[in-house]
Amino acid sequence: MLAVNGLTKYYDGQSGIEDIHFSCQSGEVAAVIGSNGAGKSTLLKILAGVLKADAGSVTLNGCDTGEYESRKLIGYMPDQMELARGLTVKNFLHMVSDYKYGGGFKEELEQAVAAFGLGACQNRAFHKLSMGNRKKAAMVAAFLGNPRLLILDEPTNGVDTAGIIALKQSIRAARDKGSVVVISSHILDFVSSISDSYIFLKGGRMAAVGKEGENPEERYRMLYL
């Protein structure tokens, strides 16, 4: 289970997010929804353990996600990813395998590269790829090793239809294996097709929560328009 309690993060004396609290059960997909600047990326970075909160806690099955030992349990796809020029897709994915899993899951990598349509560009440098292909490589890295917590920040931006279909399949497979998936996206049709719950942020605070069966577009209109 993912437990988020009282998360607060300040930037220049002002709160980026404040008193965020929710929980997700194993096998749950939760969508974080909000307008630009609502605090979605800040929240997801803290959940992933790459940004330290000023207050509050995040635990996954009782373990603090900010601890080094939790890295193998978490797959994180940031909205923007900058890598060294000249690093190829294959180099990057093998680096993730080596760093997180001691070189494990290499066969799984090959299957995922094919599933996301990256075979033809796996030996190309990252900076020469389209945004969509960079995103798909980041997806492969995030799903590698069947992590217990998957965090996907705006994964559909610039991604073609085949990539989105592969993403949906991967999310559903992870959910079936008991992973918690937390995803942010402005594409409400996408999140409504895969999500079990919704967390609406406004001005860095929780504005509402919703469950499967609710129309997130209607709630979005009420909160933001």
Side-chain angles (χ1 to χ4, degrees):
M1 182 180 78
L2 176 69
V4 178
N5 293 297
L7 281 189
T8 299
K9 177 66 180 177
Y10 293 103
Y11 294 108
D12 298 326
Q14 297 183 343
S15 59
I17 57 173
E18 186 170 1
D19 195 27
I20 304 297
H21 52 89
F22 63 91
S23 64
C24 297
Q25 300 299 319
S26 298
E28 181 175 345
V29 180
V32 179
I33 298 172
S35 56
N36 291 337
K40 300 186 300 298
S41 290
T42 295
L43 172 59
L44 268 57
K45 287 177 183 177
I46 295 173
L47 298 186
V50 301
L51 183 65
K52 184 175 177 59
D54 293 312
S57 64
V58 184
T59 58
L60 178 66
N61 298 333
C63 299
D64 187 335
T65 62
E67 297 294 330
Y68 179 80
E69 291 76 13
S70 297
R71 292 294 187 266
K72 291 182 181 181
L73 303 177
I74 301 171
Y76 172 50
M77 177 188 172
D79 183 22
Q80 302 290 335
M81 188 169 62
E82 299 294 335
L83 294 172
R85 293 177 67 85
L87 187 65
T88 66
V89 171
K90 187 174 183 178
N91 292 156
F92 164 64
L93 294 175
H94 279 237
M95 179 180 70
V96 174
S97 169
D98 292 340
Y99 174 71
K100 290 183 70 174
Y101 304 111
F105 301 103
K106 292 289 176 63
E107 183 176 340
E108 178 184 304
L109 271 182
E110 295 178 4
Q111 295 171 350
V113 164
F116 280 92
L118 290 169
C121 60
Q122 62 179 322
N123 292 314
R124 294 186 63 191
F126 236 82
H127 71 277
K128 294 183 178 179
L129 296 179
S130 66
M131 180 176 71
N133 281 333
R134 290 197 299 269
K135 287 272 191 178
K136 287 192 279 188
M139 291 176 198
V140 173
F143 283 98
L144 183 66
N146 303 313
R148 296 296 83 199
L149 173 61
L150 273 161
I151 302 167
L152 309 172
D153 194 354
E154 296 292 348
T156 59
N157 283 356
V159 177
D160 59 21
T161 301
I164 292 175
I165 291 172
L167 173 61
K168 283 186 177 182
Q169 292 173 336
S170 297
I171 290 173
R172 287 167 177 153
R175 178 174 58 188
D176 290 345
K177 292 176 183 176
S179 297
V180 175
V181 184
V182 181
I183 183 168
S184 74
S185 178
H186 290 291
I187 311 301
L188 298 183
D189 286 344
F190 171 75
V191 297
S192 65
S193 70
I194 57 169
S195 299
D196 303 301
S197 60
Y198 306 99
I199 301 154
F200 295 88
L201 297 185
K202 186 175 184 179
R205 290 175 171 268
M206 289 185 66
V209 295
K211 291 295 183 181
E212 184 180 15
E214 177 178 334
N215 185 342
E217 183 174 335
E218 291 180 2
R219 183 65 68 97
Y220 192 96
R221 290 177 181 276
M222 293 172 58
L223 290 171
Y224 309 107
L225 299 181

